[in-house]
Amino acid sequence: MALFFSFPTGGRSKPQCLSWCNTDSILAVGTASNTVDFYLEEGDALPECTIKQVSRPVKLKWHPHKPVLAVGYSKGKILLWDHNSRTLGENRKQPHLQMHAAVTFIEWSPDGSRVITGDEAGNVCVWSYRGRGMTSLLAKYRSKGAIYHAVFCAPPTNLNDPTSATTTNASQSRVAASCPPFFFGGDSGEIFYADDMGNKATVQDMQSPIHAILYHHSQQRLVILTKKLMLAQLKVTPDGSVSPIMKVKLSMASEGGVNNACWAGDGLLATCAGEQNVRFWDLTHNSNYLLSLSQHNLGAASGTRKISKGDRIVTIDYNPRKRVLAAGTRDGNVVMWKNLAAA
């Protein structure tokens, strides 16, 4: 990757979380100033789209096929933002949209008909999404300790593809595509397998708090990152059973685990852990490398905002459509790298 550019998020608005839209080149950035701000791919802010609330946004996740953003807050509220209409879809008649503690993750099902949310109190909720901000609670699970991540073991659904399961004539296939089972985990170290009908089972114990769960679609594997900086890969069978394939200890300066993890290509895992670096782990070729903020000032164009030596990366997200990795920093910068190798 090569450095694309960087820009400040404005004043003292320090990034807490960020997320790329799946349908447009729009980056949503949640800040410590209790706002969610929106930027174009070139870094231009869209001030008329700012969301301002009384609590801090901690998790952002765009709908897989619509410009609809789910925003999770430190006090448990979850709001839906329709970017086309520039409106929030908060439904005040449905008080169960309030989680019991700070939101720790938001995950959409591949076709966008379900939303899974978790909080620091160990609650995991499965919601049905019907558009216009309308949701209903389908299932709720309680676990010991915070739940940090959930993932569907199904590839993203292409609603424009006539061969997609959601456009077949078989109703059973449509139901399966709507909400395939999912895995989740957190502080207890256990990995759970669940669905939207109240069924839950423990399938693995990692013996350490789980900070990230991702699904490697082409290999049909779960990729787990723990607080002890162990990276594990588990083979997934159609019935939800998992079996360990490999486990390695990551070499990182951080002792508190990772802040964020996302895919930056097929089998290419990107992580940040409060360091100056974004670390990449190529699971296909068993190699790793990093991108550092220290490289920014050396290659920055004239007039580009300088980044201090003490700045640290706190959140990342990758845009596969544009092949751009965005990183939010502690001092209020957003840095972007373009994946030239994938061009």
Side-chain angles (χ1 to χ4, degrees):
M1 290 189 181
L3 183 66
F4 197 34
F5 61 85
S6 67
F7 59 89
T9 55
R12 298 182 179 179
S13 300
K14 299 179 180 180
Q16 304 293 299
C17 51
L18 49 79
S19 180
W20 282 105
C21 181
N22 293 306
T23 59
D24 300 288
S25 297
I26 299 170
L27 180 69
V29 180
T31 76
S33 300
N34 298 345
T35 65
V36 178
D37 303 317
F38 297 86
Y39 299 87
L40 298 176
E41 182 185 355
E42 297 78 15
D44 298 323
L46 300 175
E48 73 276 8
C49 299
T50 298
I51 304 171
K52 178 71 174 179
Q53 295 287 309
V54 296
S55 59
R56 178 167 46 90
V58 289
K59 292 296 174 181
L60 304 174
K61 194 72 173 183
W62 289 92
H63 188 284
H65 308 292
K66 299 177 181 179
V68 173
L69 177 69
V71 185
Y73 287 89
S74 59
K75 293 186 178 180
K77 180 184 286 187
I78 300 168
L79 300 179
L80 296 177
W81 165 265
D82 188 317
H83 193 74
N84 285 339
S85 63
R86 306 294 200 267
T87 57
L88 285 170
E90 182 180 10
N91 185 346
R92 300 183 185 279
K93 295 181 179 180
Q94 293 181 325
H96 54 250
L97 288 175
Q98 177 78 30
M99 297 295 286
H100 295 278
V103 176
T104 51
F105 75 83
I106 302 173
E107 189 70 24
W108 293 88
S109 64
D111 75 338
S113 67
R114 302 288 189 273
V115 189
I116 309 175
T117 60
D119 66 21
E120 288 186 347
N123 297 292
V124 174
C125 294
V126 185
W127 315 86
S128 173
Y129 174 74
R130 302 191 299 272
R132 297 183 180 180
M134 298 295 291
T135 58
S136 58
L137 184 63
L138 298 178
K140 183 176 179 179
Y141 305 103
R142 182 68 186 270
S143 302
K144 295 180 180 179
I147 301 296
Y148 294 114
H149 219 144
V151 64
F152 287 96
C153 287
T157 303
N158 183 354
L159 297 183
N160 296 318
D161 184 356
T163 64
S164 171
T166 56
T167 58
T168 63
N169 293 325
S171 60
Q172 185 175 359
S173 296
R174 287 199 299 270
V175 171
S178 296
C179 187
F182 56 91
F183 293 90
F184 65 89
D187 272 342
S188 70
E190 295 175 294
I191 300 174
F192 301 97
Y193 184 66
D195 57 25
D196 63 351
M197 296 180 288
N199 302 306
K200 183 186 80 167
T202 303
V203 295
Q204 191 77 16
D205 190 345
M206 302 303 298
Q207 304 295 317
S208 175
I210 296 169
H211 281 190
I213 303 178
L214 301 94
Y215 184 59
H216 192 180
H217 296 292
S218 62
Q219 298 295 318
Q220 295 183 321
R221 297 179 183 180
L222 282 181
V223 177
I224 312 295
L225 291 168
T226 73
K227 183 178 180 179
K228 293 182 179 179
L229 299 179
M230 298 299 298
L231 187 154
Q233 296 187 53
L234 310 175
K235 186 68 176 179
V236 180
T237 62
D239 65 355
S241 301
V242 299
S243 56
I245 297 176
M246 58 83 68
K247 182 187 294 186
V248 296
K249 175 76 171 182
L250 301 182
S251 177
M252 300 173 65
S254 172
E255 297 181 356
V258 299
N259 295 347
N260 264 144
C262 66
W263 292 118
D266 185 28
L268 182 61
L269 181 65
T271 66
C272 70
E275 303 174 298
Q276 272 212 323
N277 311 313
V278 177
R279 297 182 182 268
F280 294 86
W281 315 90
D282 189 331
L283 304 185
T284 302
H285 301 98
N286 295 319
S287 61
N288 63 84
Y289 59 94
L290 57 83
L291 295 174
S292 175
L293 291 178
S294 63
Q295 301 168 352
H296 171 267
N297 292 338
L298 296 176
S302 177
T304 301
R305 177 183 172 94
K306 298 292 184 178
I307 294 179
S308 69
K309 293 182 179 180
D311 204 358
R312 295 293 184 266
I313 296 171
V314 296
T315 181
I316 56 174
D317 195 32
Y318 183 71
N319 183 339
R321 295 172 61 249
K322 296 294 183 177
R323 302 185 299 274
V324 173
L325 179 78
T329 76
R330 187 179 60 192
D331 291 348
N333 298 292
V334 172
V335 180
M336 295 193 187
W337 285 272
K338 179 78 170 182
N339 188 345
L340 301 178

